[in-house]
Amino acid sequence: MIYTGQSYHSMIHLFVEKPLEEKRQLIRKNGICFKCLNGKHLAKDCKANIKCEKCGKTAHCTAFHFERETLQNNGGERQIDNIPQDQVSTKCTEICKDSGETTFQGKSCAKTLLVKVYPEGKPEVSVTTYAIIDDQSNRSLACSTFIDYFNETTEPVEYSLASCSGKTVQHGRRTTGYILESLDGTTQLKCPSLIECNEIPISKREIATPAIARHYKHLQDIEQFIPELDRNAEVMLLIGRDVTAAHHILDQRIGKDNEPYAQRLRLGWAIIGETCLGLVHTSDTITVNKTTVLPNGRETNLKPCEYGFRVKDKEPDIGSTVFKQTREDDTLGLSQEDKEFLIVMDKEFHTSENGRLSAPLPFRRDRPKLQNNYHQARQRAENLSRSFKRDSTKQQHFVEFMKKIFVNNHAEAVTPARKGEEVWYLPIFGVYHAKKQSKIRVVFDSAAKYNGLCLNDILMKGPDLHCNKQLGWCTIEV
């Protein structure tokens, strides 16, 4: 700060008479120390012994007396000493201004990192996005913008989304094969799968900036590792526990109880906590992912639950109906797969022309395709043939059993399979009852696995019919 033709004391006097905001701008423009007003260094490094002539404190000079707020308790009200009421500013500190908003109500940083994402083996088509690192989610999610960016055309699948508001059925595309890369390119993590979900909490107010680290002593050494706010990048990902490596804490910085802390993750440094200096501006917006249902009609900032239940007392004794206990209270209900199994059976279970019952194979939806296990079945058949040569009685019993199957039309010859058609062979073996050694039972081995897959794996089991009173059926041995 340069003044010509005037003494140092007269310059200070003229400076003191200027408005507070003008003084602040003048000091910042010339790089002068805010503490002593004499020298181009930071106030925290200033070694000058100064004293305010108005309050006697040594933390600031007289010219900046009104810059310091003194909070007193006066009948339960907060007052600011020596500052006229019409000059009290509601603006936050410089750290809050990093949010880019004119009126800011607080800044609480979450574990959100700026990363690069691209399909495996194609780093040239990467997109820079913010990712929320959330260890409360068991799966990783991506918003529709991300899925559309990479032109994913997979069919939507149904899944259940559980939150504080309960479980809801969602539909979204599922994609795999993406790489998460840190901004400096030193770390690459493979994301097993991403599910399309537009319920990801998106708020750039919760993203940390270098200015936050700069204003906290215990965070100043990591300022260089915190990127500036990228206003062109969107919050498109939520990384859950299925990417375990993304949650590894390699280093951390901890300050006082009420100060923000920092963690170095595999994908970069994250600052977490309330970062408004002085904590005088606490956010009025609740950003935790919870939903509160208020049946009394009181207003809330949170999205109300879409499901509401009201019990109306239409009978004299409501307890005898709503809370009535029965013997079936502890009976297990049907699963979704059990219900689907029963639907398939209702549609395709029928009686053939010869009066025999015929049931379909209850294949699961989205099942994998069975591979041709001819060589496995042939090897099992050769082993069975060798056992017949060692035991002719067993061979006789086995042949008689199989003959009955064909005589009773319980089996039929199949036509040769066309090229590319799904084919599966059932290996067979025989077992004897402990008390009936003269009668063999041939077992069709649907549990025999080939390349890690068997027929049982792709079939729905259906409900347990053993004396299931809910269905009104019992098992019958034939």
Side-chain angles (χ1 to χ4, degrees):
M1 181 165 45
I2 301 176
Y3 291 90
T4 59
Q6 299 180 9
S7 65
Y8 175 77
H9 293 286
S10 62
M11 288 188 294
I12 292 298
H13 176 73
L14 291 174
F15 180 75
V16 171
E17 297 299 324
K18 292 181 178 293
L20 297 178
E21 188 60 30
E22 187 176 346
K23 285 188 282 187
R24 185 195 297 270
Q25 294 177 1
L26 189 59
I27 289 296
R28 185 182 294 110
K29 180 179 179 181
N30 292 276
I32 305 300
C33 173
F34 274 83
K35 183 177 179 182
C36 68
L37 305 181
N38 186 21
K40 293 191 176 184
H41 53 264
L42 297 178
K44 67 183 183 68
D45 300 326
C46 184
K47 299 180 180 180
N49 294 321
I50 57 98
K51 184 177 182 180
C52 179
E53 297 177 357
K54 294 188 176 183
C55 66
K57 294 185 179 180
T58 59
H60 61 271
C61 62
T62 306
F64 280 94
H65 174 70
F66 294 128
E67 293 290 326
R68 301 294 179 177
E69 296 180 354
T70 305
L71 302 182
Q72 291 185 346
N73 191 330
N74 183 14
E77 297 181 357
R78 299 170 69 250
Q79 291 185 342
I80 303 179
D81 288 351
N82 302 325
I83 302 181
Q85 188 65 28
D86 58 350
Q87 295 184 19
V88 177
S89 174
T90 60
K91 294 181 180 179
C92 195
T93 59
E94 292 180 357
I95 289 184
C96 296
K97 291 179 182 177
D98 287 341
S99 65
E101 299 179 13
T102 304
T103 57
F104 182 67
Q105 298 297 323
K107 185 177 180 71
S108 181
C109 293
K111 200 179 293 186
T112 306
L113 300 176
L114 189 62
V115 298
K116 294 180 181 179
V117 189
Y118 53 86
E120 189 173 5
K122 298 180 179 179
E124 67 277 4
V125 294
S126 66
V127 61
T128 301
T129 179
Y130 281 103
I132 300 173
I133 310 300
D134 185 9
D135 58 3
Q136 296 302 310
S137 176
N138 64 337
R139 297 295 298 272
S140 295
L141 309 175
C143 67
S144 298
T145 306
F146 179 90
I147 303 292
D148 294 337
Y149 180 87
F150 289 102
N151 298 322
E152 291 286 352
T153 58
T154 57
E155 291 293 327
V157 296
E158 182 179 287
Y159 65 92
S160 177
L161 180 65
S163 64
C164 294
S165 61
K167 284 188 176 182
T168 59
V169 177
Q170 304 280 343
H171 292 81
R173 291 167 287 181
R174 182 165 53 192
T175 181
T176 58
Y178 283 92
I179 301 297
L180 305 173
E181 184 175 289
S182 59
L183 209 58
D184 59 4
T186 58
T187 302
Q188 292 81 30
L189 301 178
K190 186 174 182 180
C191 191
S193 67
L194 292 170
I195 300 177
E196 183 182 19
C197 178
N198 289 318
E199 301 293 332
I200 299 175
I202 300 175
S203 176
K204 286 193 175 182
R205 178 178 291 180
E206 299 179 348
I207 298 174
T209 59
I212 294 173
R214 186 164 56 249
H215 282 78
Y216 287 93
K217 187 175 181 179
H218 66 287
L219 301 179
Q220 290 177 355
D221 64 326
I222 67 168
E223 175 189 350
Q224 58 181 319
F225 304 113
I226 307 296
E228 291 288 349
L229 183 66
D230 189 344
R231 303 189 185 281
N232 296 322
E234 300 181 31
V235 183
M236 296 193 292
L237 296 178
L238 186 146
I239 305 303
R241 296 191 301 270
D242 54 343
V243 189
T244 306
H247 301 268
H248 291 170
I249 300 175
L250 308 180
D251 198 359
Q252 63 180 0
R253 299 289 186 273
I254 300 176
K256 297 179 182 179
D257 290 347
N258 293 326
E259 291 182 336
Y261 64 96
Q263 292 179 345
R264 183 165 73 91
L265 308 177
R266 298 283 293 275
L267 295 173
W269 278 93
I271 297 178
I272 306 100
E274 180 65 43
T275 59
C276 181
L277 285 181
L279 301 179
V280 294
H281 293 299
T282 303
S283 176
D284 293 331
T285 302
I286 302 174
T287 55
V288 293
N289 300 324
K290 296 181 180 179
T291 302
T292 301
V293 181
L294 303 177
N296 58 3
R298 182 169 63 86
E299 294 184 358
T300 175
N301 291 327
L302 300 176
K303 181 181 179 181
C305 179
E306 60 180 325
Y307 302 105
F309 299 93
R310 296 182 61 190
V311 179
K312 296 183 178 180
D313 189 0
K314 292 185 177 180
E315 299 182 8
D317 185 9
I318 190 172
S320 62
T321 56
V322 177
F323 306 107
K324 184 178 180 180
Q325 294 183 346
T326 65
R327 291 182 302 174
E328 286 76 25
D329 286 347
D330 295 329
T331 303
L332 294 177
L334 297 177
S335 66
Q336 293 298 322
E337 184 176 283
D338 291 341
K339 295 177 181 179
E340 186 176 349
F341 174 88
L342 295 177
I343 292 174
V344 172
M345 290 299 164
D346 287 340
K347 289 182 177 180
E348 303 184 34
F349 192 90
H350 65 279
T351 304
S352 61
E353 296 179 355
N354 56 7
R356 299 185 182 276
L357 299 177
S358 176
L361 288 176
F363 289 108
R364 299 178 189 269
R365 287 190 299 173
D366 302 324
R367 67 175 180 87
K369 185 177 180 180
L370 291 172
Q371 300 182 31
N372 193 326
N373 67 333
Y374 171 80
H375 297 291
Q376 178 201 49
R378 181 181 178 87
Q379 184 178 5
R380 291 278 297 270
E382 291 174 352
N383 293 339
L384 181 63
S385 177
R386 284 192 289 269
S387 69
F388 287 160
K389 293 179 180 180
R390 296 191 298 269
D391 190 344
S392 59
T393 302
K394 178 180 178 180
Q395 179 181 5
Q396 180 183 355
H397 292 164
F398 207 100
V399 171
E400 291 175 355
F401 184 94
M402 295 300 297
K403 185 182 295 183
K404 289 181 181 179
I405 290 179
F406 289 101
V407 170
N408 295 327
N409 294 324
H410 291 164
E412 62 181 10
V414 297
T415 58
R418 294 187 295 269
K419 186 177 181 180
E421 188 176 11
E422 187 176 18
V423 177
W424 182 262
Y425 296 88
L426 280 175
I428 59 176
F429 63 92
V431 294
Y432 285 99
H433 192 278
K435 297 181 180 180
K436 300 178 182 179
Q437 295 296 324
S438 62
K439 188 176 181 181
I440 196 172
R441 181 168 65 91
V442 175
V443 178
F444 296 84
D445 193 0
S446 59
K449 289 185 177 290
Y450 181 73
N451 288 341
L453 198 66
C454 68
L455 182 62
N456 285 345
D457 293 335
I458 64 172
L459 295 177
M460 293 183 288
K461 296 180 179 179
D464 183 4
L465 305 184
H466 184 68
C467 296
N468 192 323
K469 296 180 180 180
Q470 184 177 359
L471 299 176
W473 296 343
C474 289
T475 54
I476 301 175
E477 293 186 2
V478 180

